[in-house]
Structures are given as structure tokens and as C-alpha cells.
Amino acid sequence: MKRVIIMGASSGIGLAVAEALASRGVKTGLAARHTKELHALKEKYPDCVEYESIDVTHNDGPKKLEELIDKLGGMDIYFHVAGIGYSNPTLDPHREAEMIATNAAGFARMVSAAYGYYRDNNRKGQIVALTSVAGTNGIGEMAAYSASKKCAQTYLVALEQLSRKEKVDITFTDIRPGWIRTPLLDSDKSYPMEMTLDYVVPQIIRAIVKHPRVAYIDARWGALCTAWKAIPDAVWAKMNVSPTKNVPKTTEEDENKK
């Protein structure tokens, strides 16, 4: 690894991966809406870390990404983690729209900017995105979240096709984790096949290094998603699928993946 930019590095997976990379001496550019944790990492690893306040839902995001790339001296890997997620069984319209704005529109805004950097500067690079197993099929209580993650997955496929057409040397990696236990999950709820950050982060870093086209975290979720894909929509729509055994009213992830 050379120079890695992590979009959504202020908490959860993004922050954990950022610290793991910086502690290994990797030049790491950090971006998020809130910069308190980013500043702390900069002080801890002053020779390895640069950071910038970036909101993926704002139109100035691509310009600020350029500024962060300049601070870092270039970008070899772009890692998109930023996102929000709620279990929203009441379909609160504001929350549904908020998830689409961040996870779909914000994703497209920043990933297209990263693509443009590699293309316009004739540079070899890698685009890595943390999507979700929820993008496999629509989950009723997480309708907007599921749809937004499916959008991100399809967007990566489209960009890969475009890169082949334009002969842009970019490697794409779609990392799809299941439930990851963070403080943002309800401690009183039980999540299927949930995993810890300590367990997940090394697997994410391994996926970045080995860059498979799609990486499920972990193999159990990969097997489950393979089974889900085989279920026709008409059958899936009749199934009682829930993200938890006892769904919390709101499980919020701010710039973090579940």
C-alpha cells in the first residue's frame, strides 16, 4: 500500500481501518464530516496522516477530495466507507430520503470524483467500497438502506465497464459485510452472525490488498447471500426477513457501516 484515502473515517470501520493502516506506516488521508477523531489520529501519526472535513452530500465534496489528495501527495487507493443506516419499518420519509441522499447520491458524487482523478491524471489506482450484504435483496424494514447499497454495487459494475471502455487502469473491490458489533448497534438486541471490529478489520485490509472483485465479510455471509440470490423476487417478498430478532426502533450509523 502507498497512499490510501478513506472517505468516512471518523467512526466505526472507517476509523478502525484508518488507525490500522497509519500504525503500519501507510500514508493515509482521512475524510469525514466531523474531524475530532481525524485530528487525534493526525497527532498520533503526524508523518502518516492528513485529513479534510468532507460531507459527501455537499457539492463541494469532489473539490475537497482534490485538496486532500494534494495534501497526501497523490492517491493510490480510494476507500469509500461513508454511509448511514436505519431500521425504518415505519418508512419515515425523511429518513428514507436521507439514506438515499447519503448512500446513493453521496456515493456516486465521491466515487465518480475518485474515478475522475485516476482517469484525468492517467494514473493506475484502486477504488474500494464498503457496501453491504443488505444490497443482495430488499429487506422490508431497511428498504432505503437495502436499495442504496444495491445502487452502490451496481454503480461499481457500471464504472468498471466504463474503465474498460476508456482504458483507465482501475481495480474495483466491493466489500460486503454483514452485521458488525459497534457501539452504534443496540446492545440489547441480537443480530444474526454478528462480528466484532477486531475480527473484521484484518479481513477488510486483506481484501484491499488482494483486491478481489467482491469480498464478503465473512464466508458465512457469502454463503447466505449466494442462497438469497437464488430466491425469486415473488418468493422473497413473502418471506419474513428481519435484521434482528427484536428490531430496535432506530439503529443509526453515522459515517459507518453496520
Side-chain angles (χ1 to χ4, degrees):
M1 289 185 184
K2 296 180 180 178
R3 291 160 296 188
V4 182
I5 285 182
I6 302 175
M7 187 64 58
S10 64
S11 64
I13 294 172
L15 179 61
V17 171
E19 178 143 29
L21 295 180
S23 68
R24 291 167 169 81
V26 177
K27 294 283 287 183
T28 309
L30 311 179
R33 287 181 299 168
H34 307 296
T35 60
K36 179 181 178 181
E37 295 297 337
L38 312 188
H39 179 73
L41 277 185
K42 171 65 175 176
E43 290 194 326
K44 190 173 182 180
Y45 306 104
D47 296 331
C48 296
V49 171
E50 301 292 345
Y51 70 91
E52 186 71 42
S53 175
I54 299 177
D55 187 331
V56 302
T57 66
H58 290 181
N59 287 332
D60 65 356
K63 178 63 177 176
K64 289 192 171 184
L65 176 61
E66 289 180 12
E67 294 171 3
L68 180 56
I69 292 171
D70 288 342
K71 286 182 182 179
L72 201 63
M75 178 175 70
D76 301 298
I77 299 172
Y78 175 81
F79 183 26
H80 192 97
V81 185
I84 57 174
Y86 314 101
S87 176
N88 189 27
T90 64
L91 294 181
D92 178 281
H94 172 73
R95 291 195 162 192
E96 293 293 277
E98 184 180 38
M99 278 185 278
I100 296 297
T102 300
N103 300 351
F107 180 93
R109 175 178 287 109
M110 301 313 302
V111 172
S112 64
Y115 180 97
Y117 167 77
Y118 294 129
R119 179 195 59 203
D120 298 343
N121 292 281
N122 194 27
R123 294 182 64 96
K124 179 179 180 179
Q126 182 180 2
I127 292 177
V128 184
L130 199 77
T131 65
S132 173
V133 298
T136 307
N137 289 342
I139 299 174
E141 292 165 359
M142 304 175 71
Y145 183 77
S146 301
S148 68
K149 293 304 180 179
K150 184 65 174 180
C151 173
Q153 292 166 6
T154 303
Y155 195 84
L156 291 178
V157 173
L159 281 193
E160 184 174 19
Q161 183 187 74
L162 182 62
S163 72
R164 301 283 178 85
K165 179 180 179 180
E166 295 185 332
K167 295 182 171 54
V168 182
D169 193 0
I170 300 176
T171 300
F172 294 86
T173 302
D174 180 352
I175 300 178
R176 304 178 184 180
W179 286 110
I180 298 170
R181 173 56 62 180
T182 72
L184 294 173
L185 294 186
D186 193 319
S187 60
D188 295 328
K189 304 300 178 180
S190 176
Y191 295 77
M193 298 192 294
E194 66 183 52
M195 302 167 286
T196 66
L197 276 175
D198 287 343
Y199 173 72
V200 163
V201 168
Q203 295 187 59
I204 290 174
I205 293 175
R206 191 177 307 119
I208 295 172
V209 173
K210 294 188 175 181
H211 52 77
R213 180 60 186 78
V214 175
Y216 287 99
I217 308 293
D218 57 8
R220 298 170 300 167
W221 282 102
L224 181 60
C225 288
T226 298
W228 281 356
K229 290 176 184 177
I231 300 173
D233 288 348
V235 175
W236 178 265
K238 297 176 183 177
M239 295 174 64
N240 182 16
V241 179
S242 174
T244 67
K245 293 181 180 178
N246 191 7
V247 182
K249 291 182 180 179
T250 57
T251 298
E252 181 172 359
E253 305 161 21
D254 186 6
E255 292 182 345
N256 182 25
K257 168 73 184 57
K258 66 178 183 176

